[in-house]
Amino acid sequence: MDEGLDKWRSEIRALDSEIIARAARRMELALKIGQYKADHQLPVKDFRVEKEIIERTRTMADSMGLSPDFAEHLMTLIMGHSVREQNKLHQSKRSESASSLKNALVIGGLGRMGRWFSQYFQSIGFQVSIHDIKSEETPETYSRHHDLNSDLNRYEVILLTTPMAATPALLELLAKQSVKALIIETSSLKTPVLSGLKALKESGAKVASIHPMFGPDTDLLVDKNILICRGEGLSSEEAAALYFHSTSAELVMIDIDHHDQDMLSTLGLTHFINFLFGISLCEQALPIDQAKKRGGSTFFEQFETTRALFSENHELYFDIQALNPHSSELYEKLRKVLDRLEQLIQTKDKKGFLNELKRADAVLRKTL
């Protein structure tokens, strides 16, 4: 029996070596492709190819009796590393054939999400221009559009990736320009921008409202959601079909009137819980470096999630809480849950505490 185990383990070791060798060869080829893209001024990311690879991987895995989810996860790790390595090679050069490309304008294009969308639209065949109040230099792969009061009709699409507080005025400015382009706004909340959307619709412009549910560090769109906001006079579904259907992102249709209420759970609550954890952790008697040495898997998972969140856009986090007209409902429910749990613990009501967990567990399990 031991001889059999040794034989199988020996074969596994050989397969492990082969897997690493194959991964190294794949990376070698990916870097050659990355160099070619750099030499020919092609964008690093091709989200359509990403979708094709994932679909092919899942089909192949299923035919071989391997979990498609596992195979997708493995391939996502490999592709993500390839993209990051190709980015290191990519030299910014403006394409000589740019005049033959369709034109897109990204307003707020020097912000982090603006840069993401600039790269995305470039990857699907657009010559991208950027408008931004920031004075920093525009990357050489993009043009700079300085004046929003002129020359807007050369664009097929105009995308806004601007702070929520600034977006309504920009939408109303565009409404005065008789813009022919499809205008897409990407705000994390929709109530603050409804007036601007209304002005655009009344001007006869085509306007769409979407909400990318991911951050600017996203390399791949596998398992990522883009909310497509439907509403009277909106062209959001047209925008989704034109510019996002060929990716591996999940396009989720949502009524714009329900968007901010839904965001209480998916943004407001999740952010707020992380605020509580991060701020409270910093105020504990145990220093964080010591807490990390004493922490278990749950602590580390929560710590990494919170640390990543705190490294992002603090002003946006404030706006998501402060500009959502439903936020008070969230805080009231949080207080009630905290008071209820505290009462059960203080009174040593084990049965009541377990019932709370059992009730929530039953609901959570339905999503598996």
Side-chain angles (χ1 to χ4, degrees):
M1 184 174 178
D2 289 343
E3 290 181 2
L5 283 175
D6 289 341
K7 179 182 178 181
W8 294 331
R9 286 168 176 163
S10 177
E11 186 174 353
I12 285 176
R13 284 193 293 269
L15 287 171
D16 288 344
S17 297
E18 185 176 348
I19 288 170
I20 298 301
R22 292 289 185 178
R25 176 57 179 161
R26 190 188 191 283
M27 184 55 59
E28 182 182 339
L29 292 173
L31 290 176
K32 288 182 179 181
I33 292 172
Q35 190 62 60
Y36 181 90
K37 290 177 178 178
D39 292 341
H40 294 80
Q41 299 89 46
L42 298 173
V44 170
K45 298 177 184 177
D46 190 331
F47 293 95
R48 288 167 290 195
V49 170
E50 171 193 323
K51 183 179 182 181
E52 292 169 4
I53 292 173
I54 292 299
E55 290 176 348
R56 185 171 68 247
T57 297
R58 292 186 66 89
T59 299
M60 187 184 302
D62 189 53
S63 69
M64 295 180 175
L66 186 67
S67 165
D69 290 341
F70 167 75
E72 178 181 322
H73 179 65
L74 180 62
M75 187 55 69
T76 298
L77 290 175
I78 293 172
M79 287 195 299
H81 185 65
S82 296
V83 167
R84 288 187 288 273
E85 290 301 308
Q86 286 183 1
N87 273 324
K88 295 177 183 178
L89 288 175
H90 204 261
Q91 301 295 320
S92 294
K93 298 177 183 179
R94 182 166 294 153
S95 173
E96 295 177 358
S97 61
S99 60
S100 66
L101 299 177
K102 299 173 289 184
N103 290 303
L105 173 63
V106 179
I107 302 176
L110 292 180
R112 297 189 67 200
M113 282 306 294
R115 290 175 186 270
W116 190 94
F117 271 108
S118 295
Q119 189 177 46
Y120 174 78
F121 271 91
Q122 187 184 65
S123 78
I124 60 172
F126 281 83
Q127 172 66 17
V128 175
S129 296
I130 286 174
H131 174 84
D132 204 296
I133 60 173
K134 296 177 182 177
S135 59
E136 63 187 88
E137 186 177 347
T138 304
E140 291 184 6
T141 43
Y142 312 125
S143 302
R144 188 75 175 237
H145 189 108
H146 294 281
D147 186 4
L148 290 181
N149 290 300
S150 65
D151 199 26
L152 293 180
N153 283 330
R154 64 189 178 97
Y155 298 109
E156 177 179 310
V157 58
I158 298 175
L159 188 95
L160 283 81
T161 59
T162 47
M164 279 186 279
T167 300
L170 287 167
L171 294 175
E172 291 175 11
L173 174 64
L174 292 174
K176 298 175 182 178
Q177 306 301 315
S178 299
V179 177
K180 297 179 182 178
L182 174 57
I183 300 167
I184 306 174
E185 72 82 25
T186 62
S187 298
S188 297
L189 294 174
K190 300 310 178 185
T191 301
V193 302
L194 288 178
S195 61
L197 293 175
K198 180 181 178 182
L200 274 169
K201 289 186 290 184
E202 290 177 347
S203 75
K206 293 178 66 175
V207 58
S209 180
I210 69 171
H211 183 183
M213 298 297 289
F214 51 84
D217 293 328
T218 298
D219 290 318
L220 305 174
L221 289 176
V222 178
D223 296 329
K224 301 298 187 297
N225 294 330
I226 301 177
L227 305 186
I228 310 300
C229 297
R230 297 177 297 199
E232 185 178 354
L234 291 178
S235 301
S236 304
E237 292 175 83
E238 178 183 346
L242 285 172
Y243 306 122
F244 301 106
H245 78 283
S246 61
T247 74
S248 53
E250 185 75 19
L251 304 182
V252 182
M253 303 299 165
I254 180 174
D255 289 338
I256 195 167
D257 292 335
H258 298 158
H259 176 276
D260 291 0
Q261 180 76 51
D262 291 352
M263 289 304 101
L264 286 185
S265 297
T266 58
L267 280 185
L269 176 60
T270 51
H271 286 178
F272 202 81
I273 292 299
N274 279 282
F275 300 155
L276 288 175
F277 178 79
I279 295 171
S280 298
L281 183 62
C282 292
E283 295 179 358
Q284 299 299 310
L286 183 66
I288 291 179
D289 60 338
Q290 295 299 313
K292 291 177 68 177
K293 291 179 180 179
R294 293 160 172 75
S297 57
T298 302
F299 173 84
F300 280 110
E301 289 180 13
Q302 181 64 63
F303 179 84
E304 287 304 316
T305 299
T306 301
R307 184 189 59 78
L309 184 139
F310 271 71
S311 69
E312 295 291 342
N313 190 334
H314 294 185
E315 291 188 6
L316 174 61
Y317 295 150
F318 175 79
D319 286 346
I320 288 172
Q321 301 293 329
L323 299 182
N324 192 329
H326 309 287
S327 287
S328 59
E329 301 173 26
L330 170 64
Y331 307 143
E332 181 62 26
K333 289 180 180 178
L334 280 172
R335 290 189 188 94
K336 288 182 178 179
V337 172
L338 179 60
D339 290 344
R340 196 162 67 241
L341 291 176
E342 182 181 8
Q343 176 68 17
L344 292 171
I345 293 169
Q346 293 289 352
T347 59
K348 304 295 190 293
D349 187 352
K350 183 177 181 179
K351 181 178 179 181
F353 182 84
L354 294 179
N355 283 338
E356 287 282 351
L357 298 190
K358 183 183 294 185
R359 179 179 59 82
D361 181 50
V363 175
L364 294 171
R365 282 178 180 273
K366 291 180 181 179
T367 64
L368 296 178

